Amino acid sequence: MTSLPGAASFTSEGHGANAGVGVLLSHGFTGSPVSLAAWARYLADRGYAVSLPLLPGHGTSWQELQRTPWQRWYEEYESAYFTLRERTSCVVSGGLSMGGALALRLAARQPVAGVAVVNPGLTFGDPRARYSGVLKYFLKSVPAIGNDIRLPGQDEGAYPRTPVGAVHQLRQLFRDTAASLPAVTAPVLAFRSRVDAVVPESSMEVLRRRLLNAELEVVPLENSYHVATMDHDAPLIFERSHEFIQHVSSGVRA
């Protein structure tokens, strides 16, 4: 199926002193690389080898996402990790929302230097999500969850509907990732919006409670909603993540 305009993946080979450091990013559920394009370009401009894949079932139609199991999202992300790892000395995983869950799951299974996530999803605010495994047989889709952005004029390129079957897949991913968190040992930098209509605060509570063997730093975002990488606080995210990557990769940059 043809991808939606602007939804293509992004890669950068890296240059200069930071070329030996890979940064792997992931967009969120029902979204596309549009939401992280500016972050990816910012890091690429600073010389990192950057990969921002388009996840299966995304960037096409919500009906396509309805047919896509969560394992394919993770496999695509992990495949991009292996490609980066072949040509870099270390990799930092990162992502927005569901992409944050993928980044944390990867860190529990593969060696990464650090994890940088923005409003990572691990739980649901809508109580109907727990029944999505049954509801999917009666209700194909619900209203969109995209574009929770305070800054006017932004569009993350999310689907106009949210497929209920895919919500059930997302619930399984969240549950699996939460169970994996004790295996994460790399430092984690989490950016958290004060106001977020998509990911509830319970996601951060799970992260704090289950991240038993890794250092966690939480940076509050005072002037952004859920898609903070396209919001007022985007420059803060970009600059602090750059500093974080420099710190966790020190001594291994090729």
Side-chain angles (χ1 to χ4, degrees):
M1 183 174 290
T2 303
S3 295
L4 297 174
S9 59
F10 173 89
T11 59
S12 176
E13 293 298 313
H15 61 269
N18 293 327
V21 178
V23 182
L24 175 61
L25 300 176
S26 174
H27 62 79
F29 181 65
T30 78
S32 76
V34 171
S35 61
L36 296 186
W39 191 14
R41 287 194 297 267
Y42 175 94
L43 295 173
D45 287 345
R46 276 139 193 85
Y48 301 110
V50 179
S51 179
L52 169 56
L54 173 63
L55 301 178
H58 292 79
T60 53
S61 71
W62 68 262
Q63 292 90 345
E64 180 71 16
L65 182 58
Q66 180 89 303
R67 299 187 290 268
T68 308
W70 71 265
Q71 290 90 346
R72 288 193 59 204
W73 309 334
Y74 178 75
E75 287 166 2
E76 184 73 16
Y77 187 72
E78 189 179 51
S79 175
Y81 164 83
F82 287 130
T83 299
L84 266 182
R85 194 69 183 87
E86 288 176 357
R87 56 188 176 86
T88 58
S89 301
C90 67
V91 173
V92 173
S93 62
L96 165 69
S97 195
M98 178 190 78
L102 294 176
L104 290 162
R105 190 177 193 274
L106 179 78
R109 289 162 174 78
Q110 303 295 341
V112 298
V115 184
V117 293
V118 180
N119 294 320
L122 292 168
T123 62
F124 292 91
D126 190 334
R128 294 176 298 175
R130 72 181 64 183
Y131 307 112
S132 56
V134 174
L135 286 174
K136 67 180 182 178
Y137 296 108
F138 308 97
L139 184 64
K140 293 300 182 183
S141 68
V142 294
I145 60 171
N147 285 334
D148 186 35
I149 307 171
R150 186 170 187 174
L151 181 65
Q154 302 298 303
D155 185 354
E156 67 167 318
Y159 287 146
R161 301 288 295 178
T162 300
V164 176
V167 172
H168 179 58
Q169 294 297 317
L170 183 63
R171 185 166 177 261
Q172 294 180 69
L173 169 63
F174 283 176
R175 186 166 48 207
D176 182 273
T177 300
S180 301
L181 289 177
V184 177
T185 57
V188 177
L189 176 65
F191 297 92
R192 178 59 178 158
S193 296
R194 296 289 191 190
V195 179
D196 186 336
V198 178
V199 168
E201 189 59 27
S202 55
S203 285
M204 293 302 297
E205 293 168 3
V206 169
L207 183 61
R208 290 186 175 97
R209 186 172 67 249
R210 299 286 298 170
L211 201 66
L212 304 176
N213 300 299
E215 176 185 345
L216 172 64
E217 179 184 1
V218 179
V219 177
L221 304 177
E222 305 289 350
N223 199 25
S224 297
Y225 295 159
H226 181 65
V227 190
T229 49
M230 299 182 73
D231 218 322
H232 292 287
D233 293 307
L236 172 63
I237 295 171
F238 301 169
E239 293 163 11
R240 289 294 299 272
S241 63
H242 170 47
E243 294 170 0
F244 175 75
I245 295 166
Q246 287 286 293
H247 174 68
V248 298
S249 66
S250 64
V252 297
R253 286 190 291 274

